[in-house]
Amino acid sequence: MPKIVDHEQQKIKVAEAAWRVIRRSGIEQASVRNVAQEAGVSPGSMRHYFSTQAELFSFSMHLVSERVTRRVSAYSFDRPVPEVARDVLRELVPCHEESRSEMEVWLAFASKTMSEPSLREHADRVYEQMKHAITLILQALVEYEFASKTLRVEEEAVKMLTFVDGVALHGLLYPERMPPPLMEKLLDEYLDALCKKTD
């Protein structure tokens, strides 16, 4: 009896193999042959899941953002807005092994966006999604009077996202100088300062 293969699960398996290759050896080594070997499949069978390397990279990049979104969506939002904001912001920096793995891969893909339009498009979509999520948080902070009603929400969203990106990048590149407790402390201080700016 022929073995039934779950196509989507197999794509995820291959994408996760690509993550491991990228983390271990860099994105330049994430060839179809190397990823196939890591995934335990034949190079020839790869075309059943991804017709090109760019398609594999695009799916792998999407998987990173999807998993972050899933974790954030699992949070309870029936609590004070600053608590929700704190948890969401911590998901955007490498505070634990799962997020570190994802962000190392994301950083590698981000460097590839300069030469791969399909990755650039996805990176731009994720940026807009993150900015939208942060904007909603800021609007809630204002609405429930945790932050000043004069807060320029759109401007602050860009500022906050830039700050979070900087913390995340330092956490990835200089983990001994920017360990998780320090990242969390910086995010908490940013949020606390914002919430103190009330009318």
Side-chain angles (χ1 to χ4, degrees):
M1 186 173 180
K3 184 178 179 181
I4 299 175
V5 177
D6 186 318
H7 188 77
E8 190 65 18
Q9 285 302 313
Q10 195 70 0
K11 287 179 69 174
I12 291 173
K13 175 185 174 181
V14 172
E16 289 175 340
W19 288 10
R20 293 193 296 274
V21 172
I22 290 169
R23 290 191 73 197
R24 186 172 62 243
S25 308
I27 198 166
E28 297 79 10
Q29 296 302 313
S31 64
V32 170
R33 181 175 296 279
N34 288 344
V35 172
Q37 183 178 10
E38 180 71 25
V41 301
S42 68
S45 69
M46 289 279 283
R47 68 176 180 274
H48 296 302
Y49 310 109
F50 304 103
S51 58
T52 63
Q53 186 190 51
E55 192 176 311
L56 166 61
F57 284 174
S58 182
F59 181 85
S60 301
M61 195 176 191
H62 171 73
L63 191 61
V64 174
S65 58
E66 182 184 74
R67 289 191 173 174
V68 174
T69 301
R70 190 185 308 160
R71 286 200 302 274
V72 170
S73 299
Y75 284 131
S76 167
F77 290 85
D78 187 23
R79 52 200 173 113
V81 179
E83 289 183 19
V84 175
R86 185 167 286 111
D87 285 344
V88 171
L89 292 182
R90 288 182 179 183
E91 284 295 343
L92 303 181
V93 298
C95 282
H96 48 79
E97 182 54 33
E98 187 175 12
S99 60
R100 173 167 292 279
S101 170
E102 292 164 350
M103 289 182 191
E104 285 178 0
V105 173
W106 184 269
L107 184 61
F109 284 134
S111 67
K112 193 73 174 175
T113 61
M114 305 295 288
S115 58
E116 185 54 61
S118 63
L119 296 183
R120 175 80 260 173
E121 291 170 10
H122 185 71
D124 287 344
R125 282 198 303 274
V126 171
Y127 174 87
E128 290 302 325
Q129 289 168 1
M130 289 173 61
K131 183 184 171 190
H132 178 66
I134 286 176
T135 299
L136 291 178
I137 288 172
L138 292 171
Q139 288 173 340
L141 288 171
V142 172
E143 181 180 349
Y144 289 96
E145 300 182 344
F146 289 104
S148 172
K149 64 182 180 182
T150 62
L151 182 72
R152 296 179 179 178
V153 171
E154 288 293 330
E155 183 179 310
E156 189 65 39
V158 174
K159 191 185 301 182
M160 180 180 282
L161 187 51
T162 302
F163 178 78
V164 171
D165 278 350
V167 172
L169 186 60
H170 277 72
L172 287 175
L173 299 180
Y174 313 109
E176 68 289 343
R177 301 176 193 169
M178 185 68 73
L182 180 54
M183 286 188 276
E184 292 177 356
K185 180 175 181 289
L186 292 174
L187 295 178
D188 289 351
E189 288 177 349
Y190 186 106
L191 196 57
D192 288 344
L194 192 66
C195 290
K196 286 177 182 176
K197 296 177 181 177
T198 54
D199 301 307

